[in-house]
Amino acid sequence: MSDKVQAYTSERAEAAKSEQETEDEQESVDELQCPECGGSLATDTEHGETVCQDCGLVVDEDSIDRGPEWRAFDSREKDEKSRVGAPTTNMMHDKGLSTNIGWQDKDAYGNQLSASQRQKMQRLRTWNERFRTRDSKERNLKQALGEIDRMASALGLPENVRETASVIYRRALSEDLLPGRSIEGVSTASLYAAARKAGTPRSLDEISAVSRVEKDEIARTYRYVVRELKLEIQPADPEQYVPRFASDLGLSDEAERRARQLLQTAKEQEVHSGKSPVGLAAAAVYAASLLTNEKVTQSEVSEVANISEVTIRNRYHELLEAEESIHMP
């Protein structure tokens, strides 16, 4: 009796399977035919549509093109445009194309490696480091880019500034501007130039505070790099410092806007000519805090802007005089 039940069950399963296959075949036929007139369908890859060739009915639209967004006309061009792995970056001396071996002695499941495996991985790390820097030029570049990344992190500079600084240093290295100058000096000058180009400048005092070289050497190397590489860098605008100072002091948007107005008035009156942009920005923020009843002390502004209180007082009076001259009849 059980054999009959088993045979009957298997027959029912086979029948259900064949019925499902018939339905799938019917659906595939339906997909290839127009639901209106039964005509054949064609896919328009340019517009992402499936259209009936007989009646013109749009059966499907906004289809996803899963192919590459680029075209290649030969094998060499195809290899160049192919993207496999992590994106390249100028912030690493080998542009991120080499292998990195993690420092954690754990496997892919988070388990600790045995003593022999740890020893093996340490040997692999050592040889990997040796192969990554093949000559003195690459060791130089690796050290410099590490310095740029360290200083940019300390100064809170965004990634685009680090990328630009890395490109500037690479250009300086390729054009042999380093002989007679320290790696730290040129890397610091590159970061200072990149910050100014990106509109997020930092003062020389701020840069020298995180650098391993003196302020005079940074300024001298910066002028040399800018001149030799023919970099187009506009003079620092005092307004570019205002948001950072206002944020560090906890001032409102109204105070920040008022500081910008004071600086714009100073430019119209040409009070800013020959003055330090950092000093003008600090004085404008201090004056704006008083005008909006968000009083901060000169010592607090001095600490944030890294500028002396005497400079803040002098620029403060000049800004208020320029403001008064605008409103005088």
Side-chain angles (χ1 to χ4, degrees), residues 220-284:
R220 187 167 57 250
T221 309
Y222 166 75
R223 288 192 295 269
Y224 173 72
V225 168
V226 169
R227 183 176 67 250
E228 293 298 320
L229 297 181
K230 296 180 173 60
L231 301 177
E232 295 182 1
I233 299 178
Q234 299 294 327
D237 188 345
E239 289 187 45
Q240 293 174 335
Y241 294 93
V242 169
R244 183 159 55 92
F245 292 168
S247 176
D248 291 343
L249 291 165
L251 297 176
S252 65
D253 293 341
E254 174 63 22
E256 184 180 331
R257 186 182 63 81
R258 194 73 181 86
R260 290 179 182 275
Q261 288 178 349
L262 288 169
L263 289 172
Q264 288 167 5
T265 303
K267 290 178 189 174
E268 293 171 6
Q269 298 292 312
E270 297 185 353
V271 174
H272 70 298
S273 180
K275 306 290 193 310
S276 165
V278 181
L280 281 170

Side-chain angles (χ1 to χ4, degrees), residues 127-155:
W127 281 106
N128 186 51
E129 284 300 313
R130 290 174 182 172
F131 283 125
R132 285 182 70 185
T133 52
R134 292 168 295 180
D135 51 30
S136 60
K137 202 169 186 178
E138 285 197 359
R139 284 195 295 272
N140 175 326
L141 188 57
K142 183 181 178 182
Q143 181 184 345
L145 297 182
E147 277 291 293
I148 287 173
D149 189 58
R150 179 187 65 79
M151 291 186 291
S153 297
L155 293 167

Side-chain angles (χ1 to χ4, degrees), residues 62 107 113 121 140 185 203 284 294:
D62 296 332
D107 62 13
L113 300 179
M121 294 308 298
N140 175 326
S203 67
E294 301 176 41

Side-chain angles (χ1 to χ4, degrees), residues 87-242:
T88 58
T89 172
N90 283 304
M91 293 187 290
M92 299 180 70
H93 74 283
D94 52 13
K95 297 194 174 182
L97 297 176
S98 62
T99 302
N100 287 318
I101 302 177
W103 57 269
Q104 298 98 336
D105 290 324
K106 295 181 180 180
D107 62 13
Y109 300 100
N111 302 320
Q112 289 288 340
L113 300 179
S114 64
S116 60
Q117 288 176 320
R118 285 200 300 271
Q119 191 176 7
K120 179 182 178 182
M121 294 308 298
Q122 186 57 43
R123 283 201 308 273
L124 286 173
R125 287 191 197 98
T126 303
W127 281 106
N128 186 51
E129 284 300 313
R130 290 174 182 172
F131 283 125
R132 285 182 70 185
T133 52
R134 292 168 295 180
D135 51 30
S136 60
K137 202 169 186 178
E138 285 197 359
R139 284 195 295 272
N140 175 326
L141 188 57
K142 183 181 178 182
Q143 181 184 345
L145 297 182
E147 277 291 293
I148 287 173
D149 189 58
R150 179 187 65 79
M151 291 186 291
S153 297
L155 293 167
L157 291 170
E159 189 172 322
N160 66 313
V161 175
R162 306 179 194 200
E163 188 91 21
T164 305
S166 303
V167 172
I168 292 173
Y169 188 89
R170 285 176 185 272
R171 285 189 57 195
L173 186 63
S174 65
E175 297 189 20
D176 289 329
L177 301 185
L178 267 73
R181 288 167 178 81
S182 66
I183 294 172
E184 291 84 359
V186 179
S187 59
T188 307
S190 301
L191 184 63
Y192 181 55
R196 290 186 62 171
K197 279 184 73 70
T200 55
R202 296 294 186 268
S203 67
L204 268 176
D205 291 321
E206 291 175 299
I207 292 284
S208 62
V210 299
S211 177
R212 292 192 172 99
V213 294
E214 298 296 326
K215 179 179 174 181
D216 292 341
E217 184 181 345
I218 298 171
R220 187 167 57 250
T221 309
Y222 166 75
R223 288 192 295 269
Y224 173 72
V225 168
V226 169
R227 183 176 67 250
E228 293 298 320
L229 297 181
K230 296 180 173 60
L231 301 177
E232 295 182 1
I233 299 178
Q234 299 294 327
D237 188 345
E239 289 187 45
Q240 293 174 335
Y241 294 93
V242 169

Side-chain angles (χ1 to χ4, degrees), residues 16-55:
K17 183 178 179 182
S18 62
E19 185 178 345
Q20 182 64 38
E21 289 176 352
T22 305
E23 289 179 0
D24 292 343
E25 289 176 2
Q26 185 63 39
E27 285 180 4
S28 63
V29 170
D30 292 342
E31 287 177 359
L32 297 174
Q33 291 182 345
C34 175
E36 291 289 334
C37 66
S40 58
L41 302 178
T43 303
D44 184 355
T45 55
E46 184 177 352
H47 298 92
E49 297 175 343
T50 302
V51 185
C52 176
Q53 291 181 319
D54 296 336
C55 67

